[in-house]
Amino acid sequence: MSRSPRPPRVVAELGRPETPEERATRLATNSKNYRARKTINNLVYALLATLGAVIVLVLIVPRSDTPLDREIDYATVAAQVQPGVDEPLVVPALPVGWRANAAQWRPGGNDGVSSWYLGLLTPKNEFIGLTQAVDANPTWLAEQLDKVDPTDTISINGVDWDVYRNPAPAADRGNFESALVTEAGDSSYLLIGTATDEELTVLADAVAEHINTEQTGTEQNGSNE
């Protein structure tokens, strides 16, 4: 005895059997939704895996306990650099409370200007960068000072210094609030930073002492020849 064919399934949403076209549409929609859910799940799994890898790297990479503003013995660094430099490097004698967090010889780049650089922190925890540039040119100096013109000239310990003030809004000045510049021999000395005028004067006085000593030595050598 043969079975009679099963009647079409009634779809609850429709209240009747669905047509072939409706069934095809339903299957296509279900397939699309499945693929979309699978893509989102894969993305979530990938993000979790990446996060896990980052956490592992953070845990296994050793970290130094050395502070970022560690003090540098700039006199020792200068002594190491000096044999390869003809110009006597400035090593300012500064009062207690001053410290250096950088000391390096910078070979000339595209501008061809080599320089001795000290990053100094003052007793008031302000910053001054001291650069002794050898055979500097006006273009180099203008770039260091954001093309600002000098506003005054002052004498400190017998040395004349050009004074610069950054006219930019305070939020845009960075580490350039004020600067002092002088030249002696083949060197240009640039003091630039956020320190007060009093602290800039302390550093300028120490640099002037170096300049005066070198000039005196040069004059004595000249008279002995």
Side-chain angles (χ1 to χ4, degrees), residues 52-126:
V54 171
I55 292 174
V56 170
L57 287 174
V58 170
L59 292 176
I60 66 175
V61 172
R63 291 180 293 278
S64 173
D65 294 329
T66 304
L68 294 178
D69 63 344
R70 64 189 184 281
E71 187 170 354
I72 302 294
D73 184 354
Y74 59 89
T76 298
V77 178
Q80 295 169 346
V81 172
Q82 186 64 78
V85 181
D86 293 334
E87 191 75 0
L89 300 180
V90 60
V91 183
L94 296 170
V96 175
W98 289 72
R99 61 195 190 279
N101 63 0
Q104 58 187 216
W105 174 254
R106 296 176 172 177
N110 295 332
D111 54 18
V113 178
S114 299
S115 61
W116 166 239
Y117 171 79
L118 297 179
L120 299 169
L121 299 175
T122 74
K124 295 182 180 180
N125 209 34
E126 296 294 342

Side-chain angles (χ1 to χ4, degrees), residues 29 60 73 79 104 116 118 156 171 188 190 199 214 221 225:
T29 301
I60 66 175
D73 184 354
Q104 58 187 216
W116 166 239
L118 297 179
I156 300 174
S188 296
L190 167 62
E199 289 179 324
E214 292 303 320
N221 291 335
E225 290 179 357

Side-chain angles (χ1 to χ4, degrees), residues 1-208:
M1 184 176 180
S2 62
R3 295 183 178 180
S4 58
R6 295 176 60 183
R9 184 171 65 88
V10 175
V11 179
E13 291 83 355
L14 299 175
R16 58 173 175 76
E18 61 185 355
T19 65
E21 292 79 8
E22 290 171 336
R23 184 172 183 276
T25 300
R26 175 173 60 81
L27 293 176
T29 301
N30 290 343
S31 177
K32 180 180 179 181
N33 291 339
Y34 171 77
R35 290 195 302 271
R37 287 194 299 271
K38 188 174 182 181
T39 299
I40 293 174
N41 290 340
N42 290 340
L43 178 60
V44 172
Y45 295 149
L47 290 175
L48 290 175
T50 302
L51 180 60
V54 171
I55 292 174
V56 170
L57 287 174
V58 170
L59 292 176
I60 66 175
V61 172
R63 291 180 293 278
S64 173
D65 294 329
T66 304
L68 294 178
D69 63 344
R70 64 189 184 281
E71 187 170 354
I72 302 294
D73 184 354
Y74 59 89
T76 298
V77 178
Q80 295 169 346
V81 172
Q82 186 64 78
V85 181
D86 293 334
E87 191 75 0
L89 300 180
V90 60
V91 183
L94 296 170
V96 175
W98 289 72
R99 61 195 190 279
N101 63 0
Q104 58 187 216
W105 174 254
R106 296 176 172 177
N110 295 332
D111 54 18
V113 178
S114 299
S115 61
W116 166 239
Y117 171 79
L118 297 179
L120 299 169
L121 299 175
T122 74
K124 295 182 180 180
N125 209 34
E126 296 294 342
F127 170 80
I128 304 177
L130 164 58
T131 300
Q132 177 186 359
V134 180
D135 294 328
N137 52 64
T139 300
W140 178 88
L141 183 60
E143 290 178 352
Q144 303 302 310
L145 294 165
D146 296 336
K147 300 181 180 179
V148 174
D149 293 325
T151 59
D152 196 5
T153 299
I154 60 175
S155 179
I156 300 174
N157 196 358
V159 175
D160 291 335
W161 297 81
D162 290 331
V163 181
Y164 294 79
R165 307 289 186 188
N166 193 341
D172 299 330
R173 293 174 188 169
N175 283 331
F176 173 23
E177 292 279 348
S178 303
L180 296 175
V181 176
T182 192
E183 295 181 1
D186 293 329
S187 291
S188 296
Y189 299 88
L190 167 62
L191 284 55
I192 183 170
T194 61
T196 63
D197 289 349
E198 290 76 13
E199 289 179 324
L200 274 171
T201 299
V202 170
L203 180 56
D205 182 78
V207 174

